[in-house]
Amino acid sequence: MASASLQAKANELNLRMEGEARKVMDGVESRLLRPIARGSYACVVSCYDKAGAKGSTDILERCSKECQVPYQRAHAVVQQEVNQFQNRLNRAMQQCNDEASAMMLPGTRDDPKEMAKVEDTILKCMSGVVSDHTKQLKPMRERIDGHLKETLKN
């Protein structure tokens, strides 16, 4: 069982990672996804304007679905990047847990000095993972930017 101090420090690291990721994702959402979504909605309104009161329901539905494709593509690009980032982060954190588990020998839990070494090892590892992955957020944002610009051209 992790000490209260270890748990508190791990929570701080988690909050730091979440906060940094949130800043990047909020920027992507407001700067890139919102304008694409707005364009999709404007396109749908245009479909309704063109169809008027007498237009075919099938044509209206097809037009509306086509309008949503750019946003769906953009959202899929963002989701894929976020999922890949999250998977890398999870694997790195699991490696930290594995390193700490490898240090656990019979009697380690009963030895406060040895447990302190294990906790120090896992905290150093987790802190390094958070630092490394915080640095990976900018390249992730740049990949998203590039993919979205490319996706919107097609």
Side-chain angles (χ1 to χ4, degrees):
M1 180 95 185
S3 72
S5 173
L6 173 64
Q7 192 64 46
K9 290 175 184 174
N11 286 342
E12 286 175 27
L13 289 170
N14 185 46
L15 290 173
R16 180 175 146 215
M17 185 76 249
E18 284 180 5
E20 293 297 321
R22 187 175 303 113
K23 282 188 235 176
V24 168
M25 294 314 300
D26 285 351
V28 166
E29 197 271 333
S30 64
R31 199 173 38 84
L32 298 168
L33 290 178
R34 283 184 194 175
I36 295 168
R38 187 183 188 291
S40 292
Y41 286 116
C43 180
V44 170
V45 169
S46 174
C47 293
Y48 278 86
D49 289 345
K50 288 176 189 172
K54 297 181 181 180
S56 160
T57 301
D58 290 340
I59 293 173
L60 182 60
E61 285 179 13
R62 186 171 41 249
C63 181
S64 295
K65 283 182 182 179
E66 288 174 13
C67 290
Q68 295 171 34
V69 169
Y71 180 77
Q72 290 169 344
R73 282 186 192 158
H75 189 265
V77 164
V78 172
Q79 204 55 47
Q80 181 180 2
E81 280 292 335
V82 169
N83 288 343
Q84 289 173 352
F85 178 83
Q86 187 66 48
N87 287 338
R88 287 190 304 271
L89 178 62
N90 289 342
R91 285 192 307 269
M93 287 297 189
Q94 184 58 49
Q95 181 64 35
C96 293
N97 286 329
D98 291 346
E99 288 176 24
S101 293
M103 294 176 69
M104 298 295 288
L105 302 171
T108 300
R109 290 191 190 282
D110 298 327
D111 185 342
K113 194 173 183 178
E114 287 302 310
M115 281 304 295
K117 286 180 188 177
V118 171
E119 289 185 1
D120 186 53
T121 297
I122 197 167
L123 276 175
K124 283 181 183 175
C125 183
M126 290 171 72
S127 181
V129 166
V130 168
S131 292
D132 290 345
H133 282 75
T134 297
K135 292 173 190 167
Q136 292 178 29
L137 288 169
K138 181 180 178 189
M140 180 183 78
R141 189 199 71 230
E142 291 169 354
R143 280 191 306 276
I144 289 171
D145 288 358
H147 288 310
L148 290 184
K149 288 173 185 167
E150 193 64 33
T151 297
L152 294 175
K153 285 181 188 176
N154 300 331

